[in-house]
Amino acid sequence: MKRPDQREMRTLPVLEERRRELETCVFCPKLCRSACPVSNAEPREALTPWGKMSLAYFVAHGDVGLEPSTTDTAWACTGCYACRERCDHRNEVGPTLLDARNAQRKKGHAPFGATRVLNTFDRHNRATEEAIRELNYHKSVRRDADTAVLVGCSYARAAIPEARDVVTAAAVLAGEEVCLSESCCGLPLLLAGDQDRFSAHAKQFRKSVEVKKRIVVHDAGCAMALRVHYPRAGVVLSQPVELLVEHAARAVTRLSHVPLKANETVRYHDPCQLGRGLGVYEAPRAVLGRILGEPPKEFDDNRQKGMCSGAGGLLPSTMPEVAKEITVQRLSDHVELGGGRIVTACASSLLAFRTRTELPIDDIATWIARSLEASRV
Ligand code: SF4
Ligand code: SF4
């Protein structure tokens, strides 16, 4: 909150609620600068966490004008939380920049990529609904089942075999048929900078699942939306939101060993939203360890220090070349460590990696489904 001796945020007064986070960065020696995948890929001071927060601060106060060079930087963030891990204050840069996006867009200042996401969201949501309806033919789906599975729009539309694996795994773990939530969680609206539409969409989503006893979600971004961003937008779901990988970890003794081919290796990539976002590091490793019969290989930077895939925060829409550079860097780290198969647990990372390499990239849902099916034989 503002002290009497502090200047007003006359251009973006709504950011007053983020004064502490903004000032913490503005007056900081930038201990986190090497953590940011965006400024590492495109080394510009304005793209460091400090630079992005400082620009949002100066825009809010009216010290600099609203123009692309001062406002687009709020969208130059994958929301990976890596800066928070290096920060003595554990400052929430990503969420603060989400608020800056919203405030700046309301003043008519958002990059083209974000505006396009907002303009096409309704079409995107309808396409997601159609894709999910196709999955309703899955043998484990019954529309009046108690458990609703949120498959995730990127899986449903662009990783269909993995979407089926999510449904298979969720149903086998639940021990009964499941139904599918047909809507997108609405996260693109939040990331693009429209918190009012995100909140309205979240309310619709809540209504669509109100009679269900539980919700199972697999995609790390969707899980963050339901568990963290919905409550922050004032939308609290009445039923528990369970992560598929956590359920699998609790039921780890039900997972069968699925042997790798000779000389084949699997390395686990921590999705930022699952790891630093939700604090889920060990469940996927326990699951993979059980299925593979040995712990998965690791990146040098893993768990809290894991590097981003470049696919989050709408960066592929707002800064596609930078997003690509971040993805390529992560893949290059993998190759330097010996390559092999990457397994991850987020559709954005899965698809970004697959676009940039011929190496095999899997989703952990595939391994869980394969293992559970093997257990039933
Ligand atoms: S996130 Fe922390 S370390 Fe980084 S600039 Fe802000 S206050 Fe400094
Ligand atoms: S959350 Fe990630 S991408 Fe965003 S400023 Fe921090 S380190 Fe950079």
Side-chain angles (χ1 to χ4, degrees), residues 127-192:
T128 299
E129 287 169 359
E130 279 171 28
I132 298 281
R133 275 184 217 121
E134 290 296 314
L135 289 170
N136 276 329
Y137 295 111
H138 191 291
K139 65 180 184 328
S140 299
V141 171
R142 183 170 46 84
R143 280 175 180 257
D144 61 352
D146 287 335
T147 300
V149 177
L150 175 60
V151 172
C153 50
S154 298
Y155 285 113
R157 294 184 60 189
I160 295 163
E162 285 75 15
R164 291 201 189 99
D165 292 334
V166 170
V167 179
T168 300
V172 177
L173 286 168
E176 58 184 13
E177 290 156 317
V178 296
C179 67
L180 304 182
S181 167
E182 291 191 354
S183 176
C184 166
C185 68
L187 186 61
L189 295 169
L190 177 70
L191 300 179

Side-chain angles (χ1 to χ4, degrees), residues 35-38 49 52 77-83 93-94 97:
C36 182
V38 178
K52 289 176 274 208
C77 170
T78 63
C80 73
Y81 302 97
C83 48
V93 172
L97 292 177

Side-chain angles (χ1 to χ4, degrees), residues 21 24-26 28-33 49-50 53 83-84 86-93:
E21 289 89 340
T24 302
C25 279
V26 168
C28 169
K30 319 174 201 172
L31 301 174
C32 65
R33 63 179 305 138
W50 171 85
M53 291 287 269
C83 48
R84 190 189 63 191
R86 305 274 181 97
C87 172
D88 286 348
H89 310 280
R90 291 190 64 78
N91 206 19
E92 293 284 1
V93 172

Side-chain angles (χ1 to χ4, degrees), residues 64-298:
V64 295
L66 287 153
E67 51 192 66
S69 64
T70 59
T71 56
D72 284 3
T73 46
W75 281 264
C77 170
T78 63
C80 73
Y81 302 97
C83 48
R84 190 189 63 191
E85 297 302 316
R86 305 274 181 97
C87 172
D88 286 348
H89 310 280
R90 291 190 64 78
N91 206 19
E92 293 284 1
V93 172
T96 304
L97 292 177
L98 287 183
D99 286 353
R101 292 179 188 190
N102 184 56
Q104 291 172 176
R105 183 206 50 83
K106 279 189 167 169
K107 293 272 182 183
H109 291 268
F112 171 75
T115 304
R116 189 178 52 198
V117 166
L118 292 173
N119 290 344
T120 57
F121 180 78
D122 289 342
R123 205 186 321 149
H124 161 80
N125 199 40
R126 282 195 299 277
T128 299
E129 287 169 359
E130 279 171 28
I132 298 281
R133 275 184 217 121
E134 290 296 314
L135 289 170
N136 276 329
Y137 295 111
H138 191 291
K139 65 180 184 328
S140 299
V141 171
R142 183 170 46 84
R143 280 175 180 257
D144 61 352
D146 287 335
T147 300
V149 177
L150 175 60
V151 172
C153 50
S154 298
Y155 285 113
R157 294 184 60 189
I160 295 163
E162 285 75 15
R164 291 201 189 99
D165 292 334
V166 170
V167 179
T168 300
V172 177
L173 286 168
E176 58 184 13
E177 290 156 317
V178 296
C179 67
L180 304 182
S181 167
E182 291 191 354
S183 176
C184 166
C185 68
L187 186 61
L189 295 169
L190 177 70
L191 300 179
D194 194 333
Q195 294 184 356
D196 291 339
R197 264 178 90 192
F198 173 68
S199 173
H201 188 90
K203 284 177 188 151
Q204 271 178 20
F205 180 92
R206 178 174 61 188
K207 188 160 177 41
S208 74
V209 293
E210 65 187 354
V211 299
K212 302 302 172 189
K213 291 201 174 130
R214 67 194 72 81
I215 301 172
V216 173
V217 55
H218 176 52
D219 184 77
C222 302
M224 270 297 280
L226 268 52
R227 283 187 176 178
V228 177
H229 298 307
Y230 275 25
R232 208 183 142 222
V235 181
V236 178
L237 299 170
S238 58
Q239 56 286 85
V241 175
E242 179 150 59
L243 267 164
L244 181 71
V245 73
E246 286 185 317
H247 193 171
R250 281 204 315 278
V252 77
T253 53
R254 292 174 58 191
L255 299 173
S256 287
H257 176 48
V258 179
L260 290 167
K261 292 184 193 134
N263 300 323
E264 199 177 20
T265 58
V266 163
R267 191 179 322 281
Y268 179 65
H269 165 79
D270 287 282
C272 302
Q273 304 303 309
L274 188 66
R276 286 183 291 265
L278 293 168
V280 178
Y281 298 107
E282 299 314 321
R285 289 174 167 83
V287 165
L288 284 175
R290 169 83 181 188
I291 297 173
L292 302 173
E294 60 186 61
K297 304 257 180 272
E298 298 282 0

